[in-house]
Amino acid sequence: MITPKIPVDTVTSPRAEANQLLMASALRESARSKQSLMDLESWMVRYQQADPEAPRALLVALSPALLRLFRSQIAIREHADDLLQETWMRIHRVRHTYRPGEPVLPWVYAIARRVGIDGYRRTKRITSHESAMDVLPERPAQAETRNTLPEFDTLVAALPEAQREVITMMKVGGLSLEEVARATSCTVGAVKQKAHRAYERLRKLLETQSAEGWKGGSDELR
């Protein structure tokens, strides 16, 4: 695999380096999200028609992104595996509600989001009957070196819950702004605003990290 390099004369500030890091991370996650997501609509229709191969095809294509969606939410990440199973059981029960010809991803993510909300409320009810205890949120893992591109999960861990959800759907799930809006029952404008604020926050975070270890010169993106 060829690792792209940033020319020395194009990197003149921490902001430039931060933008390069953020762009590379987004491109990498976007490429990953495109894998195994072909012909989803066709597989969904075949699923409705009781094709025995369809469930596995959809599971393989969608489960990794759905699991990362659940794991990106601090309040429910401990139950991510259970929530993923519950999502697929719910999809199976309501598969007849999918309308052929419509995008599959917003429909699936809307179900997953509902499962996540229900899971959070269920966990909250259970913990309310237990002894109260303080739980400190996990600190985002620090990048090993200034030359290493932070992992996507590390980057988004610093975002507020709503922004993290939108970015995860877009970069891991491969949804467009319109599809995220449909999945979250928001307007496209609201989703765009959350995404913009998330990117700005990530840029500032990367700029800070770059400035702390800034020495100039060229860097290699991994």
Side-chain angles (χ1 to χ4, degrees):
M1 178 179 179
I2 299 176
T3 54
K5 295 183 179 180
I6 307 175
V8 176
D9 58 355
T10 62
V11 182
T12 58
S13 68
R15 174 178 289 276
E17 182 181 82
N19 288 337
Q20 290 284 354
L21 288 173
L22 184 58
M23 181 181 298
S25 178
L27 288 174
R28 183 178 63 184
E29 290 302 320
S30 179
R32 288 177 179 173
S33 69
K34 300 300 182 184
Q35 298 175 357
S36 302
L37 292 180
M38 302 297 292
D39 301 323
L40 286 180
E41 294 177 17
S42 175
W43 280 116
M44 191 64 214
V45 172
R46 292 169 65 175
Y47 186 25
Q48 291 177 319
Q49 297 171 347
D51 185 330
E53 297 181 3
R56 176 172 175 77
L58 291 169
L59 280 167
V60 171
L62 296 172
S63 288
L66 291 175
L67 188 60
R68 290 184 72 180
L69 174 67
F70 290 132
R71 287 177 176 172
S72 72
Q73 308 301 314
I74 296 175
I76 59 175
R77 63 173 50 168
E78 293 182 2
H79 308 288
D81 292 329
D82 293 334
L83 293 174
L84 178 62
Q85 292 184 26
E86 185 176 340
T87 297
W88 282 112
M89 287 190 292
R90 193 170 299 190
I91 288 174
H92 181 72
R93 290 196 301 269
V94 302
R95 64 190 183 282
H96 63 280
T97 64
Y98 168 73
R99 297 178 180 178
E102 293 187 354
V104 174
L105 289 178
W107 183 81
V108 168
Y109 270 82
I111 294 173
R113 188 170 185 266
R114 183 74 254 173
V115 169
I117 293 173
D118 292 345
Y120 169 74
R121 290 175 176 172
R122 182 166 57 247
T123 300
K124 191 173 182 180
R125 285 197 301 269
I126 294 175
T127 55
S128 66
H129 293 85
E130 298 176 351
S131 301
M133 57 185 297
D134 294 328
V135 180
L136 296 178
E138 294 183 14
R139 295 182 61 184
Q142 195 170 14
E144 294 181 2
T145 68
R146 72 182 184 89
N147 293 329
T148 301
L149 178 66
E151 290 296 326
F152 178 81
D153 294 335
T154 301
L155 286 171
V156 300
L159 297 175
E161 207 77 16
Q163 294 176 12
R164 188 177 348 31
E165 179 183 56
V166 167
I167 294 300
T168 301
M169 285 187 180
M170 293 175 62
K171 296 307 176 184
V172 178
L175 278 70
S176 65
L177 287 171
E178 292 76 12
E179 289 174 335
V180 173
R182 190 181 305 177
T184 58
S185 299
C186 293
T187 64
V188 174
V191 172
K192 187 180 296 185
Q193 186 179 59
K194 291 178 183 178
H196 175 73
R197 289 177 177 175
Y199 286 134
E200 285 301 311
R201 185 160 184 160
L202 290 175
R203 285 194 181 93
K204 290 179 181 179
L205 175 63
L206 287 170
E207 287 172 8
T208 299
Q209 293 177 346
S210 298
E212 290 176 352
W214 180 254
K215 294 180 181 179
S218 62
D219 288 324
E220 182 175 314
L221 292 180
R222 300 180 184 176

